[in-house]
Amino acid sequence: MRTAVLELLKRNSGQYISGEEISQLLKVSRTAVWKHIRSLKQAGYEIEAHPRLGYALRQNTDRLLPEEIKTHLTSKVLGREIHYFSEVDSTNNAAKKLAAGGCPEGTIVVAEAQNTGRGRLSRGWFSPYGKGIWLSVVFRPPFSPMDAAKCTLMAAVAVNRAVNAVAGAGCGIKWPNDILCNGRKVVGILTEMSAEMDAINYIVIGMGINVNIDPHEFPGEIAATATSLAAVAGCQIPRLKLFTEILAELESAYNTVKNFGFAPVLAEWKNQSITLGQQVDVHGIDRSFTGLATDIDDDGALLVTTASGVARVLAGDVSIRPAAGKLR
């Protein structure tokens, strides 16, 4: 009913519509209308109330509110259950609690800000209020835990598609799942799993997308390595449009994997890669080396040709040498 009230206000955006008219159209009491109006205002909508004229929606919010998401959603499963926070410690933490409690596949957690957002290797993630997309999605995939790591590559492919479609940013993927534009990071992806020996209980894929952050807002430690889509495009990017496009592309990639396996997604990852053909530095738990990134294998591991042979990288920090040109 709250969504129905909101739709009436949107259809009359900028114009007053009386509480009596809303009550008659929706067949609810005027008290119920007032309660829904109050709830919408608390959610962030700018609604003016006039004692004789009624209510008027003065400004559509840029907040990623459930009503806004549902209105524009094209995915069928992802986003059917939405948990929204104005601020949260980490959307992944919230999503893992929901997943452990039995929430359905496709449940999403979205926040306007994170105060302890994190990326791979336990690194912090700058997540200012209303300037990005801080999103986690719960999956309950039918495949083996051995294949779970490739979900990170799947997510990178889907998000990169969406980012380039909406922002026209010309971004590419750095192994395994960072999305860069002009050599600077705009997206980070963190995949976490709960599994048994032969079955996955759930996978949570968290995404941090720097959408409308001004370059001067980035903290000093990442100012030289991070950027935003708005900075690249030279204009503000509509967060809601990008958000729903990400869900649509992620659902499409996930359905491809369920129907045809990971091979099509891995092939697309290679096409979108900015790592392959580059000289890279690899820093793992027990070794560090330099070589030429030549391919990824069927498990998603990065293959790096070194002076002593081909090294297979499943985990670690991989950086592209800035002086090297693309060789493939």
Side-chain angles (χ1 to χ4, degrees), residues 19-30:
E20 180 65 29
E21 185 176 354
I22 296 174
S23 172
Q24 290 176 356
L25 288 170
L26 299 182
K27 295 180 172 56
V28 295
S29 69
R30 291 191 64 174

Side-chain angles (χ1 to χ4, degrees), residues 270-282:
K270 294 178 186 182
N271 288 333
Q272 296 181 19
S273 170
I274 59 171
T275 302
L276 300 184
Q278 296 275 27
Q279 291 287 337
V280 296
D281 293 321
V282 180

Side-chain angles (χ1 to χ4, degrees), residues 5 17 19 23 27 49 99 110 137 141 146 148 154 169 180 187 194 210 212 230 239 247 257 261 278 301 310:
V5 171
I17 178 171
S23 172
K27 295 180 172 56
V110 56
V137 183
M146 296 293 291
M154 174 192 77
L180 276 62
V187 178
S194 169
N210 300 334
N212 292 320
R239 288 197 303 153
L247 291 181
V257 168
Q278 296 275 27
V310 177

Side-chain angles (χ1 to χ4, degrees), residues 236-296:
Q236 294 286 290
I237 304 299
R239 288 197 303 153
L240 180 61
K241 182 177 181 181
L242 177 58
F243 187 95
T244 53
E245 186 70 15
I246 287 170
L247 291 181
E249 291 288 4
L250 191 56
E251 183 167 285
S252 174
Y254 183 50
N255 287 336
T256 295
V257 168
K258 288 194 294 183
N259 292 326
F260 305 105
F262 278 96
V265 168
L266 294 180
E268 187 168 355
W269 187 96
K270 294 178 186 182
N271 288 333
Q272 296 181 19
S273 170
I274 59 171
T275 302
L276 300 184
Q278 296 275 27
Q279 291 287 337
V280 296
D281 293 321
V282 180
H283 299 283
I285 297 174
D286 56 358
R287 60 174 180 163
S288 296
F289 57 90
T290 297
L292 177 67
T294 55
D295 205 352
I296 57 171

Side-chain angles (χ1 to χ4, degrees), residues 129-147:
Y129 189 95
K131 298 292 186 73
I133 291 174
W134 325 122
L135 165 71
S136 295
V137 183
V138 176
F139 293 89
R140 300 189 184 277
F143 41 78
S144 162
M146 296 293 291
D147 288 326

Side-chain angles (χ1 to χ4, degrees), residues 128-187:
Y129 189 95
K131 298 292 186 73
I133 291 174
W134 325 122
L135 165 71
S136 295
V137 183
V138 176
F139 293 89
R140 300 189 184 277
F143 41 78
S144 162
M146 296 293 291
D147 288 326
K150 287 180 279 189
C151 287
T152 296
L153 306 182
M154 174 192 77
V157 165
V159 175
N160 196 50
R161 280 185 203 154
V163 163
N164 288 328
V166 175
C171 298
I173 305 170
K174 181 177 81 69
W175 189 90
N177 57 2
D178 288 338
I179 295 176
L180 276 62
C181 191
N182 299 330
R184 297 191 176 202
K185 187 185 295 190
V186 292
V187 178

Side-chain angles (χ1 to χ4, degrees), residues 70-214:
K70 289 175 181 177
T71 299
H72 297 85
L73 202 62
T74 59
S75 51
K76 305 300 181 186
V77 175
L78 303 194
R80 64 183 175 182
E81 183 174 312
I82 302 170
H83 294 261
Y84 170 86
F85 297 89
S86 180
E87 184 174 338
V88 73
D89 60 346
S90 158
T91 59
N92 260 33
N93 287 349
K96 286 189 294 181
K97 289 178 184 177
L98 291 166
C103 73
E105 180 170 66
T107 296
I108 66 172
V109 175
V110 56
E112 297 295 343
Q114 298 179 111
N115 50 46
T116 56
R118 66 189 191 282
R120 290 180 65 244
L121 308 178
S122 299
R123 291 169 177 156
W125 190 268
F126 180 56
S127 313
Y129 189 95
K131 298 292 186 73
I133 291 174
W134 325 122
L135 165 71
S136 295
V137 183
V138 176
F139 293 89
R140 300 189 184 277
F143 41 78
S144 162
M146 296 293 291
D147 288 326
K150 287 180 279 189
C151 287
T152 296
L153 306 182
M154 174 192 77
V157 165
V159 175
N160 196 50
R161 280 185 203 154
V163 163
N164 288 328
V166 175
C171 298
I173 305 170
K174 181 177 81 69
W175 189 90
N177 57 2
D178 288 338
I179 295 176
L180 276 62
C181 191
N182 299 330
R184 297 191 176 202
K185 187 185 295 190
V186 292
V187 178
I189 298 170
L190 176 65
T191 302
E192 298 183 279
M193 175 180 69
S194 169
E196 300 170 16
M197 287 295 293
D198 58 350
I200 295 173
N201 296 321
Y202 64 79
I203 289 176
V204 170
I205 299 180
M207 291 150 273
I209 299 101
N210 300 334
V211 183
N212 292 320
I213 303 174
D214 188 278

